[in-house]
Amino acid sequence: MFQDWGTKGPQDAWLAAGIEDAITASLAGWPGSAVFAEYGYETSPELIDIMDWCRHLDADHTRRGAWRAAFRGLGVVAGFHNQWWGFGDYARDQPGVAAITALRHFLTDVVRFADLRPDDTAVVDGPTATGHRPLALSSADRRTVAVYLPAGGTVTVRPDAVATRRARWYDPRTTELTDADLAESDRGLVATSPNAGRPRPDDWVLVVTP
């Protein structure tokens, strides 16, 4: 079981940035399975802060942390009781749990997680700001490619990483799938996520399947 919180300050906790880098560095060469756990400690401004450093870990942090870990090939555990401190007011205390069900839906009903592996070479261009870098999974034959954009934006996928040009955007908040427009450049196939220009942009998943 692996534990890391990523960024947790007032300005960057929503990104949960750095989790994927910690996984890569810490588990390099590890031949077995790994599960990402105890990373959330999600809190609510309406409830008492048990520990001061947790006060900015909201549903956005819970969601992005889970997706970052999954796109590094780890299983994800979140939502067990002691991660939320046992306030008992679950209507306000655990909005991030819904995001975990959306992740499960993506990895079981949209793609098959067991068939995918982290693929750092599938993406040739994308956002570079701290915490915004795209993360990719692909099947061995690269007929399926999924790219997680923690803060949306424009991403370029290598042409040889895409066996088909059917692409969709998956919304990790609602599970909705919508068609993605692809443009060609000399570097690959380019897609821009919905609402990429917001001050605190949403995360999106680009998925290319047969």
Side-chain angles (χ1 to χ4, degrees):
M1 298 183 74
F2 185 79
Q3 179 178 5
D4 190 272
W5 289 273
T7 50
K8 52 185 183 290
Q11 303 302 321
D12 58 12
W14 64 280
L15 278 168
I19 286 173
E20 66 275 20
D21 297 325
I23 290 171
T24 299
S26 297
L27 299 183
W30 170 247
S33 299
V35 176
F36 187 56
E38 199 177 347
Y39 72 97
Y41 293 93
E42 185 179 324
T43 58
S44 167
E46 301 175 15
L47 299 169
I48 299 170
D49 292 313
I50 298 297
M51 291 194 295
D52 185 68
W53 63 267
C54 296
R55 69 173 60 246
H56 305 295
L57 305 188
D58 58 9
D60 284 341
H61 183 275
T62 299
R63 184 180 67 256
R64 286 181 172 85
W67 281 87
R68 289 180 188 279
F71 270 64
R72 274 292 172 255
L74 271 65
V76 177
V77 174
F80 50 86
H81 191 67
N82 65 344
Q83 254 197 313
W84 273 269
W85 301 110
F87 287 120
D89 189 348
Y90 299 121
R92 293 184 296 171
D93 196 22
Q94 298 194 62
V97 172
I100 307 303
T101 66
L103 175 60
R104 180 184 183 278
H105 173 262
F106 180 78
L107 296 175
T108 56
D109 298 333
V110 180
V111 298
R112 275 180 44 86
F113 186 55
D115 296 338
L116 305 178
R117 297 293 183 272
D119 187 351
D120 292 332
T121 64
V123 173
V124 295
D125 194 17
T128 58
T130 300
H132 292 216
R133 188 179 77 243
L135 302 171
L137 294 171
S138 71
S139 58
D141 59 7
R142 276 189 167 156
R143 287 176 57 80
T144 297
V145 178
V147 181
Y148 178 61
L149 292 135
T154 299
V155 64
T156 302
V157 182
R158 282 175 47 185
D160 64 328
V162 184
T164 175
R165 296 193 180 187
R166 182 193 180 200
R168 293 171 292 172
W169 288 109
Y170 181 82
D171 187 334
R173 292 158 300 281
T174 68
T175 74
E176 183 180 5
L177 278 164
T178 55
D179 289 338
D181 293 326
L182 293 178
E184 293 190 26
S185 76
D186 58 354
R187 304 190 67 192
L189 302 175
V190 184
T192 300
S193 70
N195 60 34
R198 293 181 179 181
R200 184 168 166 170
D202 289 334
D203 48 337
W204 289 90
V205 187
L206 178 69
V207 56
V208 182
T209 54

